[in-house]
Amino acid sequence: MPAPRELESLVAAARLYYLENLSQAEVATRLGTSRSNVSRMLASAVEQGVVEIRVNDPAGRDRELETALQTRFGLRSVRVAQRTAVGNADQQVGTQAGRFLLSELRDGMTVALSWGSALQSMVWQTTAEHDYAVRLVQLVGGLSAVDNEVSGHELVRELASRLGASYRYLHAPATLTTASARDALAEEASVEQALAEARRADIAFVGIGTPTHGSSASVLTALALDAEEAAQLRKAEPVGDIAARYFDAAGQPVLGAVHERVLAVTLAELAAIPTVVGVACGRVKAAGVLGALRGHLIDVLVCDESLARAVLALGRSEDTDTDESETLR
């Protein structure tokens, strides 16, 4: 800490320069010192915490975190909703995702959606100034077996209404009681055609879940896995899911009963879509988002500031643990 007299000088210089908008030369005259000394004092004021500088982006984005994530994971684009005193993180992420959607839309495109609260926020925060000749489709069946969750049916219908677009339902539940029931339903002409159209999408917007929360946890509950199936799932150590397709910390698909009884595009089919945009909010999603990034399951990430920081911190921590393990070998 600087001495009290020095601290007073730093505060005085900072007030004159930052609050009264005096030039450095004018500050020097007021304080009876040189301009070069004022420059040093202002720099010291920032270093000592007397002055805190924060850039509030009118677009509501944290550009530094965006650059850090894009550089670290090789993403095509990143949108990080900046924390503000008003509004909530869900709405802010939804706003950023909606803006990105509108910036990417071109007439003739097919847009695929999964489900979940993050995508619901995106839909509700999207307001188009004109109609778009685009088509909206589902990546995963409806959540008919899951209570209190936002279904893909609702999202494609609402977003189509807001965009003046057309849409197609995937008339099938997300989960089936057996693999054979899933296979039989997937062979139905309307279901097969809807999934095929989803695979041909130009861009996909997907929520990134975690097995213990929200839609992801609801899917597992709806499947009512027996003891052996549940043990198999735990052994695979899933960290997240996209469109009810679960994956591990490396972003590799988790196979078994859950995979066989879900009606949705696979992770490999999702990867074939030219642009996949992951939308997520909250620190609880950090492990799932990190797994999706490591598995290259998404090309674009839209998230909030707290999740962005958590993903970067978790990534550094796990990388350090891996390096230490290799050194011990």
Side-chain angles (χ1 to χ4, degrees):
M1 288 291 293
R5 181 169 295 181
E6 182 184 353
L7 184 59
E8 289 179 10
S9 297
L10 296 183
V11 171
R15 284 185 178 280
L16 292 170
Y17 184 74
Y18 290 106
L19 299 183
E20 297 187 25
N21 296 316
L22 271 62
S23 68
Q24 291 188 15
E26 291 170 328
V27 173
T29 300
R30 287 278 194 97
L31 298 181
T33 186
S34 66
R35 184 183 179 284
S36 61
N37 193 42
V38 168
S39 178
R40 180 195 63 78
M41 293 168 71
L42 293 174
S44 182
V46 174
E47 293 171 1
Q48 299 295 338
V50 173
V51 173
E52 293 183 357
I53 298 175
R54 180 180 177 88
V55 177
N56 291 309
D57 190 333
R61 293 165 53 184
D62 190 311
R63 310 280 177 161
E64 289 186 10
L65 284 174
E66 290 177 359
T67 299
L69 285 165
Q70 189 167 5
T71 302
R72 174 69 176 79
F73 298 104
L75 289 161
R76 189 175 306 167
S77 185
V78 181
R79 297 290 186 274
V80 175
Q82 193 173 50
R83 185 187 308 157
T84 63
V86 296
N88 61 56
D90 286 330
Q91 291 177 339
Q92 291 158 357
V93 170
T95 296
Q96 294 301 332
R99 288 174 180 170
F100 186 81
L101 166 66
L102 294 178
S103 73
E104 294 293 302
L105 283 185
R106 303 291 184 274
D107 286 346
M109 291 179 71
T110 296
V111 181
L113 301 179
S114 63
W115 58 27
S117 58
L119 288 194
Q120 181 187 38
S121 181
M122 179 190 82
V123 169
W124 283 105
Q125 298 303 318
T126 299
T127 303
E129 296 181 356
H130 60 85
D131 290 349
Y132 289 87
V134 299
R135 175 88 154 168
L136 298 173
V137 297
Q138 296 174 237
L139 292 164
V140 58
L143 276 164
S144 57
V146 180
D147 295 330
N148 302 320
E149 294 296 335
V150 182
S151 75
H153 285 171
E154 297 171 51
L155 294 182
V156 297
R157 181 182 64 245
E158 179 64 28
L159 187 56
S161 174
R162 289 168 177 264
L163 297 177
S166 64
Y167 64 95
R168 178 176 193 161
Y169 281 151
L170 174 53
H171 287 292
T175 60
L176 283 298
T177 54
T178 65
S180 58
R182 192 285 307 268
D183 292 343
L185 189 54
E187 291 176 359
E188 290 290 329
S190 62
V191 174
E192 185 178 32
Q193 291 165 9
L195 285 172
E197 190 169 4
R199 296 185 192 104
R200 295 193 300 269
D202 299 288
I203 188 170
F205 284 78
V206 299
I208 302 174
T210 183
T212 55
H213 290 78
S215 303
S216 305
S218 298
V219 167
L220 297 179
T221 300
L223 286 169
L225 302 176
D226 61 33
E228 182 179 348
E229 292 167 339
Q232 182 186 42
L233 180 65
R234 287 193 298 273
K235 184 178 180 181
E237 299 182 341
V239 298
D241 83 289
I242 292 175
R245 296 299 188 185
Y246 294 79
F247 52 85
D248 62 19
Q252 296 303 303
V254 170
L255 305 179
V258 175
H259 183 82
E260 294 166 358
R261 288 157 53 187
V262 165
L263 190 68
V265 298
T266 66
L267 293 178
E269 290 168 341
L270 184 73
I273 295 174
T275 302
V276 179
V277 184
V279 185
C281 185
R283 296 174 62 88
V284 70
K285 301 290 185 71
V289 171
L290 182 59
L293 293 171
R294 285 180 166 162
H296 305 289
L297 302 179
I298 60 175
D299 306 296
V300 177
L301 175 64
V302 183
C303 67
D304 63 305
E305 186 177 331
S306 65
L307 177 54
R309 295 187 188 281
V311 169
L312 289 167
L314 182 60
R316 286 193 296 268
S317 173
E318 292 186 357
D319 288 346
T320 299
D321 290 343
T322 300
D323 291 343
E324 290 178 352
S325 297
E326 291 178 352
T327 299
L328 291 173
R329 290 178 193 172

